[in-house]
Amino acid sequence: MGFLALGINHKTASVDVRERVAFSPEQLADALQRLRDETRTQEVAILSTCNRTEIYCAQDQLNDQSLIDWLAGFHGLSVEELRRCSYLHREAGAVRHMMRVAAGLDSMVLGEPQILGQMKDAWQAARTAGTLGPYLDRLFQSTFNTAKQVRTDTAIGENPVSVAFAAVSLARQIFSDLERSTALLIGAGETIGLVARHLFEQGVKRLIVANRTLERAELLSEPLGGQAIILNQIPEVLAHCDIVISSTASPLPILGKGAVERALKQRKHRPMFMVDIAVPRDIEPEVGSLGDVYLYTVDDLHEVIEENLRSRQGAAEAAERLIEIGTDEFMQRLRALAAVDVLRRYRQRAEQFRDQELSKALGKLERGGDPAALMSEMARALTNKLLHDPSVQLKQMSAEGRAEALALAQELFALDDTHNAQGRS
């Protein structure tokens, strides 16, 4: 069984491409089943976040071209466009990549903790859709264990800096006194939850949380003394908001240029700071052309992220060593499983030979045959059957000059001098 990881991320593709390749939660179950059936892949999972979309596969015969063709076809992209910004990892490389992703070593924010939860969501989605399978499940479990060890044994997660923190850091640069600012947060997921806490800690007195369901918005806003609204109430409060940060799973923009223009007129063109963390984007890109709006996307947070990278570089090096250990241990276990499968099949064949010869001997014994002679005959026949196929293969290897195979056979059957000496004593 082999493994393959195919994907795009914030390093290889712009937000324009990433939002076109993203899978919404509503699409995921159908996409997983179609991916498995249409590419004839045995086990598949999909990870889709604002910074990456990745396909993980376990398959006897790995075919990366069929995966690229399928992904391009599903999202209506050209194969060449997707190939230019995609990456591919096989076997141990795929294992290493998944572990690096789960540990936050491949994230825009080095060591960010949210990605491990997103990886677990991908595992659960594949499990629910029936596309996981035993080999990919083992890989996910080893990935989770290694990521947990990285967070426990290194300082990669100390003083965490997330995309949410980076967004709030940018807001602090635009508004010197955040205590006098009103913030509108669109969405009620984990990222917006982090944004809300960071803004609250920075002294923002008025927080408004807008979400598709009012209950989720209330769960987030009430502990922080904020206000909860539903999405269609955004135009009513937008003019009062100095900061707008959005992160939803909506496939279409939630905030358009027209609504922002009207809000700016009511504000008498006082500046608005906006960060669109979502992929696909929640705020129409054209909003950025308005003179009094500072609009940033997730790709614009690099400066804050780079500072985070420098501060965690030592911890990252220690984490990389743990990733290598985790990869090696998983591949060793996988090879051991392959040996178990071969042994199981060979044992089944040996037991079949045994049952055949035993049945013959018992029949002859019932007809009055000599027990000692029959036991000797059965032992000789069973030995011949067990040795027939290995003997044919060894002779063929010898004729082909495959000395390494003969040496391996000698090791496999424990035919070294020590065993020979013991056999003669």
Side-chain angles (χ1 to χ4, degrees), residues 346-423:
Y346 188 68
R347 177 178 287 276
Q348 287 175 342
R349 179 185 291 185
E351 289 174 347
Q352 185 181 22
F353 290 156
R354 177 202 63 197
D355 293 343
Q356 290 171 352
E357 295 307 318
L358 182 59
S359 178
K360 289 179 186 178
L362 289 173
K364 291 179 181 179
L365 188 61
E366 289 175 358
R367 294 192 292 273
D370 177 55
L374 288 173
M375 288 179 65
S376 178
E377 180 185 346
M378 184 182 73
R380 184 170 55 255
L382 183 57
T383 301
N384 288 338
K385 281 192 172 182
L386 289 173
L387 291 178
H388 175 73
D389 287 337
S391 298
V392 171
Q393 295 297 324
L394 282 170
K395 288 176 181 177
Q396 180 66 31
M397 291 174 186
S398 181
E400 294 171 355
R402 295 168 60 185
E404 77 288 348
L406 294 175
L408 182 60
Q410 184 164 322
E411 182 180 350
L412 177 64
F413 293 118
L415 300 177
D416 56 35
D417 292 340
T418 302
H419 283 80
N420 288 336
Q422 291 174 348

Side-chain angles (χ1 to χ4, degrees), residues 200 205-209 217-218 220-228:
F200 184 77
K205 293 292 190 291
R206 190 175 183 219
L207 289 170
I208 304 171
V209 179
E218 288 173 341
L220 183 56
S221 62
E222 285 181 0
L224 304 177
Q227 174 188 356

Side-chain angles (χ1 to χ4, degrees), residues 26-41:
E26 294 76 20
Q27 288 178 307
L28 204 50
D30 177 60
L32 282 164
Q33 292 165 357
R34 284 179 54 184
L35 172 59
R36 178 194 58 195
D37 297 341
E38 293 171 14
T39 64
R40 297 184 179 180
T41 303

Side-chain angles (χ1 to χ4, degrees), residues 114 168 185 190 192-202 207 220 224:
Q114 287 80 22
V168 174
L185 308 181
E190 185 176 7
I192 287 297
L194 285 171
V195 170
R197 286 196 292 275
H198 289 316
L199 287 171
F200 184 77
E201 289 166 1
Q202 292 296 320
L207 289 170
L220 183 56
L224 304 177

